[in-house]
């Protein structure tokens, strides 16, 4: 699954997700990819979030909505990402998932549980894409 | 008198200018020093580059939405990790279906498609939902019909030789792993029938021998003292190449 957030030169934010879901799923099963607030969420006034992992579990907690609302309340991206992941892990200790958070100033961070996660960043002060590794 | 008022005016202009540049700097810091900015799950470099091209080049002062669609579409075309786009993650029938979403953080508009069949452009379809309907989410074959009616190519088979081969091997492996629970038969392919949990004999704990393990996967089911614990045919597999 790819979840992406873009902040353009005017500070406008957009997010998106695309996935073909879980392998050998029961026909008709939909993961968290198309669920607003789960796989991704963005608000020009605050920032954005992208998520990936076990969609059957994650969609029950809307982690990206949680990340954006935590940042709206003043949390920095790292704490907001960690908080959203820990809320799920508290109920499902075996769950596997990750989020990245980015605020409207462009500060970004990631958090994960059950696997090592990587996310990619490109901004105008970089020559090319940089990949950041996040450990559980 | 005249000299002092001129000096006063210059002073005022300087302050005014500093104030503007401060705001400009501050404004620029807020709006543009590090921007544009693209962030994406996983090391999907080509997808980030595709989004960057749209959002950063002079001629394409593309909106953030256009950049997100370009980036995610690149991953659909490249079939990133086999978890994006056509040709991956077959369901139990061997079919690939797509889920996608796009959101405009300025207007809070969202378009999404779920379990879409026979159309390979997931996030483009989602954008069409956002731009040409008042809805947020369309699903299944109706989403397919909407996307094709709005001009996307289809219907087309979303499977690939790789996804079909993967599915064939899975069937030869007694359809393990799978996402069923509290059904019989366990450890085999369906059709499945629900276990009536209310009528299950309660003698101490529900003892089930482990049918066998394969590749770290626990097949069969497991000893459970808690009847309400679902009897899983096995633990589901979530990893880098199989997830949402």
């Amino acid at each position: 699954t790819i979840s992406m957030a873009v902040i353009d030169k005017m500070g406008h934010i957009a997010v998106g997700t695309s996935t073909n879901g879980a392998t050998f799923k029961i026909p008709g099963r939909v993961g968290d990819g198309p669920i607003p607030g789960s796989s991704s969420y963005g608000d020009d006034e605050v920032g954005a979030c992208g998520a990936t992992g076990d969609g059957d579990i994650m969609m029950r907690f809307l982690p990206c909505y949680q990340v954006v609302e935590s940042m709206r309340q003043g949390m920095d991206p790292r704490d907001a990402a960690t908080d959203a992941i820990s809320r799920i892990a508290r109920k499902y200790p075996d769950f596997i998932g990750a989020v990245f958070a980015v605020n409207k100033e462009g500060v970004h961070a990631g958090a994960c549980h059950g696997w090592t996660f990587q996310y990619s960043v490109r901004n105008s002060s970089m020559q090319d894409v940089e990949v950041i590794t996040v450990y559980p | 008198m005249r000299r002092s008022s001129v000096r006063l005016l210059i002073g005022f202009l300087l302050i005014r200018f500093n104030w503007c540049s401060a705001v400009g700097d501050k404004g620029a810091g807020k709006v543009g020093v590090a921007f544009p900015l693209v962030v994406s799950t996983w090391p999907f470099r080509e997808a980030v580059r595709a989004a960057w091209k749209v959002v950063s080049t002079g001629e394409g002062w593309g909106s953030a939405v256009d950049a997100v669609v370009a980036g995610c579409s690149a991953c659909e075309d490249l079939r990133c990790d086999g978890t994006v786009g056509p040709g991956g993650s077959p369901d139990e029938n061997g079919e690939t279906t797509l889920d996608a979403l796009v959101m405009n953080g300025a207007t809070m508009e969202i378009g999404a498609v779920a379990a879409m069949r026979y159309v390979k452009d997931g996030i483009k379809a989602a954008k069409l939902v956002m731009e040409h309907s008042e809805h947020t989410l369309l699903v299944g074959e109706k989403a397919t019909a909407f996307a094709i009616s709005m001009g996307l190519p289809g219907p087309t088979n979303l499977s690939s030789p790789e996804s079909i081969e993967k599915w064939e091997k899975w069937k030869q492996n007694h359809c393990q792993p799978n996402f069923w629970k509290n059904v019989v038969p366990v450890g085999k392919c369906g059709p499945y029938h629900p276990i009536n949990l209310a009528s299950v004999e309660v003698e101490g704990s529900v003892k089930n021998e482990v049918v066998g393990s394969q590749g770290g996967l626990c097949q069969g089911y497991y000893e459970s003292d808690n009847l309400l614990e679902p009897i899983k045919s096995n633990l589901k597999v979530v990893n880098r190449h199989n997830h949402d």
Side-chain angles (χ1 to χ4, degrees):
Chain A
T1 298
I2 182 167
S3 285
M4 178 177 276
V6 172
I7 305 181
D8 71 14
K9 296 177 183 175
M10 301 315 296
H12 291 313
I13 291 174
V15 298
T17 298
S18 184
T19 181
N20 52 33
T23 303
F24 311 132
K25 52 182 158 304
I26 297 170
R29 179 268 190 186
V30 172
D32 72 324
I35 308 299
S38 188
S39 64
S40 54
Y41 199 72
D43 182 339
D44 274 18
E45 297 170 9
V46 181
C49 165
T52 181
D54 180 348
D56 288 316
I57 300 297
M58 295 177 83
M59 69 162 78
R60 305 176 193 173
F61 296 82
L62 298 184
C64 275
Y65 178 78
Q66 184 62 56
V67 164
V68 172
E69 292 313 310
S70 296
M71 293 196 293
R72 194 190 307 272
Q73 302 307 319
M75 253 191 220
D76 69 35
R78 176 183 310 281
D79 291 344
T82 304
D83 168 71
I85 288 289
S86 60
R87 287 167 183 253
I88 304 173
R90 195 161 40 246
K91 300 288 189 181
Y92 289 91
D94 298 335
F95 115 91
I96 292 174
V99 299
F100 68 75
V102 53
N103 67 19
K104 65 183 179 181
E105 280 74 38
V107 177
H108 52 80
C112 62
H113 184 81
W115 59 3
T116 296
F117 172 55
Q118 292 182 308
Y119 68 93
S120 306
V121 183
R122 176 75 160 96
N123 68 30
S124 45
S125 62
M126 297 172 183
Q127 292 312 307
D128 194 4
V129 181
E130 289 182 12
V131 175
I132 294 165
T133 300
V134 185
Y135 297 96
Chain B
M1 181 56 184
R2 192 171 159 66
R3 190 188 298 262
S4 61
S5 57
V6 169
R7 200 171 291 146
L8 195 64
L9 177 63
I10 291 171
F12 172 72
L13 287 176
L14 278 177
I15 290 168
R16 174 95 184 106
F17 174 74
N18 283 331
W19 187 75
C20 286
S21 69
V23 168
D25 287 349
K26 184 161 159 272
K30 234 181 181 17
V31 171
V33 172
F35 295 156
L37 168 71
V38 179
V39 188
S40 152
T41 51
W42 304 121
F44 294 155
R45 290 177 174 80
E46 290 312 319
V48 176
R49 289 183 186 122
W52 180 255
K53 187 164 183 282
V54 170
V55 79
S56 67
T57 49
E59 72 275 8
W61 266 62
S63 75
V65 168
D66 293 338
V68 162
V69 171
C72 291
S73 295
C75 245
E76 290 170 356
D77 296 343
L78 293 166
R79 303 181 177 182
C80 293
D81 274 3
T83 67
V84 186
S89 303
D91 66 15
E92 290 195 331
N93 297 334
E95 183 179 356
T96 295
T97 54
L98 303 181
D99 300 335
L101 171 144
V102 62
M103 177 174 191
N104 181 330
T107 62
M108 303 307 270
E109 288 173 299
I110 292 179
V113 292
M116 182 170 69
R117 308 175 76 181
Y118 311 130
V119 170
K120 66 178 177 58
D121 301 307
I123 196 160
K124 288 191 179 91
K127 185 165 180 265
L128 290 168
V129 173
M130 182 167 78
E131 291 179 336
H132 300 290
S133 88
E134 298 296 346
H135 298 316
T136 297
L137 171 61
L138 298 182
V139 302
E141 286 189 41
K142 308 302 185 196
T144 305
F146 174 89
I148 293 173
S149 76
M150 287 290 109
L152 285 182
T156 179
N157 181 346
L158 297 185
S159 298
S160 66
E162 297 81 13
S163 65
I164 295 301
E165 183 190 354
K166 197 176 196 180
W167 173 61
E168 295 286 3
K169 279 186 182 159
W170 174 76
K171 282 204 298 181
Q172 288 154 27
N173 186 48
H174 312 295
C175 303
Q176 306 299 313
N178 61 50
F179 290 87
W180 294 88
K181 68 180 183 183
N182 299 330
V183 296
V184 288
V186 174
K188 297 190 182 85
C189 293
Y192 299 104
H193 307 287
I195 290 177
N196 180 346
L197 294 180
S199 66
V200 170
E201 289 283 312
V202 179
E203 283 170 22
S205 65
V206 174
K207 291 195 183 313
N208 302 293
E209 65 192 31
V210 175
V211 172
S213 66
Q214 172 248 345
L217 261 184
C218 168
Q219 272 190 328
Y221 29 78
Y222 60 100
E223 188 164 319
S224 159
D225 290 334
N226 171 3
L227 245 219
L228 294 183
E229 194 78 22
I231 301 171
K232 295 186 167 96
S233 58
N234 53 56
L235 300 176
K236 63 182 173 182
V237 174
V238 177
N239 58 37
R240 174 71 185 275
H241 295 279
N242 178 20
H243 63 269
D244 288 296

